[in-house]
mmCIF file of all heavy atoms in Angstrom:
data_model
loop_
_atom_site.group_PDB
_atom_site.id
_atom_site.type_symbol
_atom_site.label_atom_id
_atom_site.label_comp_id
_atom_site.label_asym_id
_atom_site.label_seq_id
_atom_site.Cartn_x
_atom_site.Cartn_y
_atom_site.Cartn_z
ATOM 1 N N ILE A 215 -15.386 -21.411 2.387
ATOM 2 C CA ILE A 215 -13.925 -21.378 2.374
ATOM 3 C C ILE A 215 -13.395 -21.404 0.949
ATOM 4 O O ILE A 215 -12.436 -20.708 0.609
ATOM 5 C CB ILE A 215 -13.370 -22.560 3.194
ATOM 6 C CG1 ILE A 215 -13.705 -22.378 4.674
ATOM 7 C CG2 ILE A 215 -11.858 -22.672 3.015
ATOM 8 C CD1 ILE A 215 -13.327 -23.560 5.533
ATOM 9 N N GLN A 216 -14.040 -22.198 0.092
ATOM 10 C CA GLN A 216 -13.590 -22.305 -1.295
ATOM 11 C C GLN A 216 -13.669 -20.963 -2.010
ATOM 12 O O GLN A 216 -12.719 -20.541 -2.684
ATOM 13 C CB GLN A 216 -14.430 -23.344 -2.041
ATOM 14 C CG GLN A 216 -14.011 -23.521 -3.499
ATOM 15 C CD GLN A 216 -14.946 -24.453 -4.259
ATOM 16 O OE1 GLN A 216 -16.134 -24.542 -3.952
ATOM 17 N NE2 GLN A 216 -14.412 -25.152 -5.252
ATOM 18 N N ARG A 217 -14.792 -20.274 -1.867
ATOM 19 C CA ARG A 217 -14.916 -18.996 -2.580
ATOM 20 C C ARG A 217 -14.026 -17.919 -1.960
ATOM 21 O O ARG A 217 -13.490 -17.059 -2.663
ATOM 22 C CB ARG A 217 -16.371 -18.550 -2.629
ATOM 23 C CG ARG A 217 -17.030 -18.257 -1.295
ATOM 24 C CD ARG A 217 -18.456 -17.779 -1.501
ATOM 25 N NE ARG A 217 -19.141 -17.480 -0.264
ATOM 26 C CZ ARG A 217 -20.091 -18.211 0.282
ATOM 27 N NH1 ARG A 217 -20.458 -19.360 -0.305
ATOM 28 N NH2 ARG A 217 -20.696 -17.845 1.397
ATOM 29 N N GLU A 218 -13.852 -17.971 -0.635
ATOM 30 C CA GLU A 218 -12.967 -16.996 -0.013
ATOM 31 C C GLU A 218 -11.516 -17.238 -0.432
ATOM 32 O O GLU A 218 -10.756 -16.287 -0.638
ATOM 33 C CB GLU A 218 -13.110 -17.039 1.508
ATOM 34 C CG GLU A 218 -14.434 -16.472 2.004
ATOM 35 C CD GLU A 218 -14.534 -16.464 3.513
ATOM 36 O OE1 GLU A 218 -13.478 -16.507 4.181
ATOM 37 O OE2 GLU A 218 -15.667 -16.410 4.039
ATOM 38 N N MET A 219 -11.114 -18.500 -0.559
ATOM 39 C CA MET A 219 -9.762 -18.806 -1.007
ATOM 40 C C MET A 219 -9.543 -18.333 -2.434
ATOM 41 O O MET A 219 -8.447 -17.890 -2.782
ATOM 42 C CB MET A 219 -9.490 -20.304 -0.898
ATOM 43 C CG MET A 219 -9.203 -20.785 0.520
ATOM 44 S SD MET A 219 -7.821 -19.894 1.309
ATOM 45 C CE MET A 219 -6.493 -20.178 0.139
ATOM 46 N N ARG A 220 -10.573 -18.411 -3.261
ATOM 47 C CA ARG A 220 -10.449 -17.889 -4.635
ATOM 48 C C ARG A 220 -10.146 -16.400 -4.601
ATOM 49 O O ARG A 220 -9.316 -15.910 -5.376
ATOM 50 C CB ARG A 220 -11.746 -18.144 -5.411
ATOM 51 C CG ARG A 220 -11.955 -19.562 -5.871
ATOM 52 C CD ARG A 220 -13.019 -19.587 -6.937
ATOM 53 N NE ARG A 220 -13.340 -20.925 -7.389
ATOM 54 C CZ ARG A 220 -14.056 -21.189 -8.473
ATOM 55 N NH1 ARG A 220 -14.519 -20.193 -9.214
ATOM 56 N NH2 ARG A 220 -14.326 -22.423 -8.827
ATOM 57 N N THR A 221 -10.824 -15.691 -3.718
ATOM 58 C CA THR A 221 -10.598 -14.258 -3.626
ATOM 59 C C THR A 221 -9.194 -13.950 -3.114
ATOM 60 O O THR A 221 -8.509 -13.058 -3.624
ATOM 61 C CB THR A 221 -11.646 -13.609 -2.700
ATOM 62 O OG1 THR A 221 -12.956 -13.913 -3.186
ATOM 63 C CG2 THR A 221 -11.468 -12.103 -2.650
ATOM 64 N N VAL A 222 -8.755 -14.701 -2.111
ATOM 65 C CA VAL A 222 -7.401 -14.518 -1.582
ATOM 66 C C VAL A 222 -6.364 -14.740 -2.674
ATOM 67 O O VAL A 222 -5.421 -13.961 -2.829
ATOM 68 C CB VAL A 222 -7.147 -15.473 -0.395
ATOM 69 C CG1 VAL A 222 -5.681 -15.433 0.017
ATOM 70 C CG2 VAL A 222 -8.032 -15.104 0.787
ATOM 71 N N GLN A 223 -6.529 -15.807 -3.439
ATOM 72 C CA GLN A 223 -5.578 -16.105 -4.517
ATOM 73 C C GLN A 223 -5.601 -15.038 -5.592
ATOM 74 O O GLN A 223 -4.550 -14.625 -6.104
ATOM 75 C CB GLN A 223 -5.901 -17.475 -5.107
ATOM 76 C CG GLN A 223 -5.639 -18.634 -4.145
ATOM 77 C CD GLN A 223 -6.178 -19.950 -4.659
ATOM 78 O OE1 GLN A 223 -6.793 -20.016 -5.727
ATOM 79 N NE2 GLN A 223 -5.961 -21.022 -3.899
ATOM 80 N N LEU A 224 -6.793 -14.559 -5.927
ATOM 81 C CA LEU A 224 -6.913 -13.535 -6.958
ATOM 82 C C LEU A 224 -6.205 -12.252 -6.534
ATOM 83 O O LEU A 224 -5.432 -11.668 -7.305
ATOM 84 C CB LEU A 224 -8.397 -13.256 -7.231
ATOM 85 C CG LEU A 224 -8.725 -12.231 -8.316
ATOM 86 C CD1 LEU A 224 -8.222 -12.700 -9.677
ATOM 87 C CD2 LEU A 224 -10.235 -11.982 -8.372
ATOM 88 N N ILE A 225 -6.452 -11.817 -5.310
ATOM 89 C CA ILE A 225 -5.820 -10.592 -4.826
ATOM 90 C C ILE A 225 -4.311 -10.782 -4.687
ATOM 91 O O ILE A 225 -3.525 -9.903 -5.050
ATOM 92 C CB ILE A 225 -6.446 -10.177 -3.483
ATOM 93 C CG1 ILE A 225 -7.905 -9.767 -3.694
ATOM 94 C CG2 ILE A 225 -5.655 -9.039 -2.845
ATOM 95 C CD1 ILE A 225 -8.659 -9.481 -2.405
ATOM 96 N N SER A 226 -3.908 -11.951 -4.175
ATOM 97 C CA SER A 226 -2.480 -12.209 -3.951
ATOM 98 C C SER A 226 -1.696 -12.240 -5.250
ATOM 99 O O SER A 226 -0.535 -11.808 -5.300
ATOM 100 C CB SER A 226 -2.301 -13.525 -3.197
ATOM 101 O OG SER A 226 -2.912 -13.478 -1.926
ATOM 102 N N ARG A 227 -2.295 -12.758 -6.307
ATOM 103 C CA ARG A 227 -1.579 -12.913 -7.574
ATOM 104 C C ARG A 227 -1.635 -11.678 -8.458
ATOM 105 O O ARG A 227 -0.683 -11.404 -9.194
ATOM 106 C CB ARG A 227 -2.153 -14.114 -8.334
ATOM 107 C CG ARG A 227 -1.901 -15.460 -7.657
ATOM 108 C CD ARG A 227 -2.679 -16.568 -8.334
ATOM 109 N NE ARG A 227 -2.464 -17.865 -7.672
ATOM 110 C CZ ARG A 227 -3.120 -18.980 -7.973
ATOM 111 N NH1 ARG A 227 -4.033 -18.963 -8.939
ATOM 112 N NH2 ARG A 227 -2.867 -20.106 -7.324
ATOM 113 N N GLN A 228 -2.721 -10.936 -8.411
ATOM 114 C CA GLN A 228 -2.900 -9.875 -9.396
ATOM 115 C C GLN A 228 -2.920 -8.464 -8.822
ATOM 116 O O GLN A 228 -2.820 -7.501 -9.574
ATOM 117 C CB GLN A 228 -4.188 -10.126 -10.190
ATOM 118 C CG GLN A 228 -4.198 -11.456 -10.939
ATOM 119 C CD GLN A 228 -5.091 -11.433 -12.160
ATOM 120 O OE1 GLN A 228 -5.267 -10.391 -12.800
ATOM 121 N NE2 GLN A 228 -5.666 -12.573 -12.499
ATOM 122 N N ILE A 229 -3.082 -8.316 -7.523
ATOM 123 C CA ILE A 229 -3.138 -6.971 -6.946
ATOM 124 C C ILE A 229 -1.944 -6.686 -6.051
ATOM 125 O O ILE A 229 -1.281 -5.652 -6.191
ATOM 126 C CB ILE A 229 -4.453 -6.769 -6.162
ATOM 127 C CG1 ILE A 229 -5.654 -6.900 -7.108
ATOM 128 C CG2 ILE A 229 -4.464 -5.410 -5.472
ATOM 129 C CD1 ILE A 229 -7.004 -6.775 -6.426
ATOM 130 N N LEU A 230 -1.631 -7.584 -5.142
ATOM 131 C CA LEU A 230 -0.533 -7.334 -4.198
ATOM 132 C C LEU A 230 0.814 -7.114 -4.879
ATOM 133 O O LEU A 230 1.576 -6.237 -4.454
ATOM 134 C CB LEU A 230 -0.440 -8.480 -3.181
ATOM 135 C CG LEU A 230 -1.668 -8.679 -2.278
ATOM 136 C CD1 LEU A 230 -1.387 -9.745 -1.224
ATOM 137 C CD2 LEU A 230 -2.086 -7.370 -1.622
ATOM 138 N N PRO A 231 1.166 -7.883 -5.940
ATOM 139 C CA PRO A 231 2.458 -7.598 -6.585
ATOM 140 C C PRO A 231 2.524 -6.204 -7.206
ATOM 141 O O PRO A 231 3.599 -5.611 -7.279
ATOM 142 C CB PRO A 231 2.552 -8.688 -7.665
ATOM 143 C CG PRO A 231 1.675 -9.795 -7.170
ATOM 144 C CD PRO A 231 0.532 -9.097 -6.504
ATOM 145 N N ALA A 232 1.375 -5.686 -7.633
ATOM 146 C CA ALA A 232 1.356 -4.366 -8.267
ATOM 147 C C ALA A 232 1.339 -3.238 -7.255
ATOM 148 O O ALA A 232 1.717 -2.101 -7.573
ATOM 149 C CB ALA A 232 0.125 -4.249 -9.178
ATOM 150 N N ILE A 233 0.900 -3.529 -6.007
ATOM 151 C CA ILE A 233 0.829 -2.504 -4.968
ATOM 152 C C ILE A 233 1.553 -3.051 -3.738
ATOM 153 O O ILE A 233 0.939 -3.657 -2.852
ATOM 154 C CB ILE A 233 -0.636 -2.143 -4.634
ATOM 155 C CG1 ILE A 233 -1.412 -1.799 -5.909
ATOM 156 C CG2 ILE A 233 -0.693 -0.981 -3.642
ATOM 157 C CD1 ILE A 233 -2.870 -1.467 -5.669
ATOM 158 N N PRO A 234 2.870 -2.877 -3.643
ATOM 159 C CA PRO A 234 3.653 -3.480 -2.553
ATOM 160 C C PRO A 234 3.206 -3.074 -1.154
ATOM 161 O O PRO A 234 3.422 -3.820 -0.196
ATOM 162 C CB PRO A 234 5.078 -2.991 -2.840
ATOM 163 C CG PRO A 234 5.095 -2.713 -4.309
ATOM 164 C CD PRO A 234 3.729 -2.179 -4.622
ATOM 165 N N ALA A 235 2.590 -1.898 -1.011
ATOM 166 C CA ALA A 235 2.160 -1.443 0.316
ATOM 167 C C ALA A 235 0.796 -1.993 0.716
ATOM 168 O O ALA A 235 0.374 -1.811 1.863
ATOM 169 C CB ALA A 235 2.129 0.083 0.377
ATOM 170 N N ALA A 236 0.097 -2.659 -0.188
ATOM 171 C CA ALA A 236 -1.231 -3.189 0.121
ATOM 172 C C ALA A 236 -1.121 -4.323 1.136
ATOM 173 O O ALA A 236 -0.223 -5.165 1.052
ATOM 174 C CB ALA A 236 -1.927 -3.664 -1.148
ATOM 175 N N ARG A 237 -2.042 -4.356 2.074
ATOM 176 C CA ARG A 237 -2.078 -5.392 3.106
ATOM 177 C C ARG A 237 -3.468 -6.029 3.124
ATOM 178 O O ARG A 237 -4.470 -5.344 3.312
ATOM 179 C CB ARG A 237 -1.752 -4.789 4.484
ATOM 180 C CG ARG A 237 -0.341 -4.181 4.587
ATOM 181 C CD ARG A 237 0.733 -5.248 4.429
ATOM 182 N NE ARG A 237 2.103 -4.744 4.527
ATOM 183 C CZ ARG A 237 2.869 -4.465 3.478
ATOM 184 N NH1 ARG A 237 2.388 -4.618 2.241
ATOM 185 N NH2 ARG A 237 4.115 -4.047 3.649
ATOM 186 N N LEU A 238 -3.504 -7.351 2.935
ATOM 187 C CA LEU A 238 -4.756 -8.098 2.899
ATOM 188 C C LEU A 238 -4.984 -8.764 4.245
ATOM 189 O O LEU A 238 -4.147 -9.539 4.710
ATOM 190 C CB LEU A 238 -4.707 -9.152 1.787
ATOM 191 C CG LEU A 238 -5.903 -10.111 1.688
ATOM 192 C CD1 LEU A 238 -7.183 -9.345 1.372
ATOM 193 C CD2 LEU A 238 -5.639 -11.181 0.623
ATOM 194 N N ILE A 239 -6.120 -8.470 4.874
ATOM 195 C CA ILE A 239 -6.470 -9.062 6.166
ATOM 196 C C ILE A 239 -7.729 -9.902 5.964
ATOM 197 O O ILE A 239 -8.764 -9.390 5.532
ATOM 198 C CB ILE A 239 -6.719 -7.980 7.239
ATOM 199 C CG1 ILE A 239 -5.492 -7.076 7.383
ATOM 200 C CG2 ILE A 239 -7.045 -8.627 8.580
ATOM 201 C CD1 ILE A 239 -5.582 -5.786 6.614
ATOM 202 N N ASN A 240 -7.637 -11.190 6.264
ATOM 203 C CA ASN A 240 -8.753 -12.108 6.058
ATOM 204 C C ASN A 240 -9.417 -12.463 7.384
ATOM 205 O O ASN A 240 -8.743 -12.664 8.389
ATOM 206 C CB ASN A 240 -8.255 -13.398 5.390
ATOM 207 C CG ASN A 240 -7.572 -13.128 4.070
ATOM 208 O OD1 ASN A 240 -8.165 -12.618 3.124
ATOM 209 N ND2 ASN A 240 -6.290 -13.466 3.984
ATOM 210 N N GLY A 241 -10.742 -12.556 7.362
ATOM 211 C CA GLY A 241 -11.463 -13.044 8.527
ATOM 212 C C GLY A 241 -11.639 -12.048 9.642
ATOM 213 O O GLY A 241 -11.518 -12.388 10.813
ATOM 214 N N LEU A 242 -11.944 -10.790 9.307
ATOM 215 C CA LEU A 242 -12.204 -9.798 10.348
ATOM 216 C C LEU A 242 -13.583 -10.011 10.964
ATOM 217 O O LEU A 242 -14.534 -10.368 10.264
ATOM 218 C CB LEU A 242 -12.158 -8.385 9.764
ATOM 219 C CG LEU A 242 -10.805 -7.728 9.547
ATOM 220 C CD1 LEU A 242 -10.989 -6.422 8.791
ATOM 221 C CD2 LEU A 242 -10.136 -7.460 10.873
ATOM 222 N N GLN A 243 -13.694 -9.772 12.249
ATOM 223 C CA GLN A 243 -15.003 -9.743 12.874
ATOM 224 C C GLN A 243 -15.619 -8.381 12.620
ATOM 225 O O GLN A 243 -14.970 -7.349 12.769
ATOM 226 C CB GLN A 243 -14.893 -10.017 14.374
ATOM 227 C CG GLN A 243 -14.483 -11.449 14.683
ATOM 228 C CD GLN A 243 -14.405 -11.714 16.177
ATOM 229 O OE1 GLN A 243 -13.902 -10.888 16.923
ATOM 230 N NE2 GLN A 243 -14.887 -12.864 16.608
ATOM 231 N N SER A 244 -16.877 -8.368 12.231
ATOM 232 C CA SER A 244 -17.541 -7.112 11.909
ATOM 233 C C SER A 244 -17.757 -6.281 13.157
ATOM 234 O O SER A 244 -18.226 -6.786 14.177
ATOM 235 C CB SER A 244 -18.889 -7.387 11.239
ATOM 236 O OG SER A 244 -19.669 -6.199 11.181
ATOM 237 N N PRO A 245 -17.440 -4.978 13.112
ATOM 238 C CA PRO A 245 -17.710 -4.108 14.262
ATOM 239 C C PRO A 245 -19.170 -3.683 14.321
ATOM 240 O O PRO A 245 -19.595 -3.062 15.294
ATOM 241 C CB PRO A 245 -16.799 -2.901 13.994
ATOM 242 C CG PRO A 245 -16.737 -2.827 12.506
ATOM 243 C CD PRO A 245 -16.761 -4.259 12.026
ATOM 244 N N ALA A 246 -19.948 -4.032 13.276
ATOM 245 C CA ALA A 246 -21.338 -3.593 13.209
ATOM 246 C C ALA A 246 -22.314 -4.635 13.741
ATOM 247 O O ALA A 246 -23.415 -4.299 14.164
ATOM 248 C CB ALA A 246 -21.706 -3.231 11.762
ATOM 249 N N ASP A 247 -21.923 -5.917 13.698
ATOM 250 C CA ASP A 247 -22.816 -6.983 14.138
ATOM 251 C C ASP A 247 -21.972 -8.216 14.449
ATOM 252 O O ASP A 247 -20.768 -8.124 14.621
ATOM 253 C CB ASP A 247 -23.880 -7.292 13.062
ATOM 254 C CG ASP A 247 -23.263 -7.475 11.678
ATOM 255 O OD1 ASP A 247 -22.140 -8.044 11.598
ATOM 256 O OD2 ASP A 247 -23.876 -7.067 10.687
ATOM 257 N N ASN A 248 -22.613 -9.379 14.500
ATOM 258 C CA ASN A 248 -21.900 -10.611 14.832
ATOM 259 C C ASN A 248 -21.380 -11.343 13.597
ATOM 260 O O ASN A 248 -20.941 -12.489 13.695
ATOM 261 C CB ASN A 248 -22.817 -11.543 15.629
ATOM 262 C CG ASN A 248 -23.136 -10.997 17.007
ATOM 263 O OD1 ASN A 248 -22.289 -10.372 17.639
ATOM 264 N ND2 ASN A 248 -24.359 -11.203 17.467
ATOM 265 N N SER A 249 -21.443 -10.716 12.448
ATOM 266 C CA SER A 249 -20.989 -11.345 11.221
ATOM 267 C C SER A 249 -19.484 -11.163 11.047
ATOM 268 O O SER A 249 -18.795 -10.649 11.933
ATOM 269 C CB SER A 249 -21.729 -10.754 10.015
ATOM 270 O OG SER A 249 -21.378 -9.382 9.849
ATOM 271 N N HIS A 250 -18.985 -11.616 9.903
ATOM 272 C CA HIS A 250 -17.563 -11.488 9.596
ATOM 273 C C HIS A 250 -17.384 -10.736 8.276
ATOM 274 O O HIS A 250 -18.286 -10.691 7.440
ATOM 275 C CB HIS A 250 -16.899 -12.863 9.484
ATOM 276 C CG HIS A 250 -16.792 -13.587 10.781
ATOM 277 N ND1 HIS A 250 -17.857 -14.245 11.353
ATOM 278 C CD2 HIS A 250 -15.751 -13.753 11.631
ATOM 279 C CE1 HIS A 250 -17.471 -14.793 12.490
ATOM 280 N NE2 HIS A 250 -16.207 -14.515 12.685
ATOM 281 N N ILE A 251 -16.224 -10.152 8.136
ATOM 282 C CA ILE A 251 -15.829 -9.527 6.869
ATOM 283 C C ILE A 251 -14.845 -10.487 6.215
ATOM 284 O O ILE A 251 -13.795 -10.783 6.793
ATOM 285 C CB ILE A 251 -15.169 -8.160 7.107
ATOM 286 C CG1 ILE A 251 -16.083 -7.245 7.922
ATOM 287 C CG2 ILE A 251 -14.810 -7.494 5.784
ATOM 288 C CD1 ILE A 251 -15.407 -5.966 8.396
ATOM 289 N N ASP A 252 -15.178 -10.984 5.042
ATOM 290 C CA ASP A 252 -14.313 -11.973 4.396
ATOM 291 C C ASP A 252 -12.893 -11.453 4.246
ATOM 292 O O ASP A 252 -11.928 -12.116 4.627
ATOM 293 C CB ASP A 252 -14.867 -12.349 3.013
ATOM 294 C CG ASP A 252 -16.191 -13.082 3.098
ATOM 295 O OD1 ASP A 252 -16.571 -13.501 4.218
ATOM 296 O OD2 ASP A 252 -16.849 -13.234 2.056
#
Side-chain angles (χ1 to χ4, degrees):
I215 293 174
Q216 181 186 30
R217 63 178 180 253
E218 289 183 21
M219 283 304 303
R220 284 197 183 193
T221 303
V222 172
Q223 292 170 358
L224 182 63
I225 293 174
S226 298
R227 294 171 181 173
Q228 300 207 31
I229 298 178
L230 298 186
I233 308 179
R237 298 296 181 262
L238 175 63
I239 303 97
N240 302 298
L242 279 172
Q243 291 181 318
S244 167
D247 49 37
N248 292 324
S249 66
H250 291 78
I251 305 170
D252 294 348

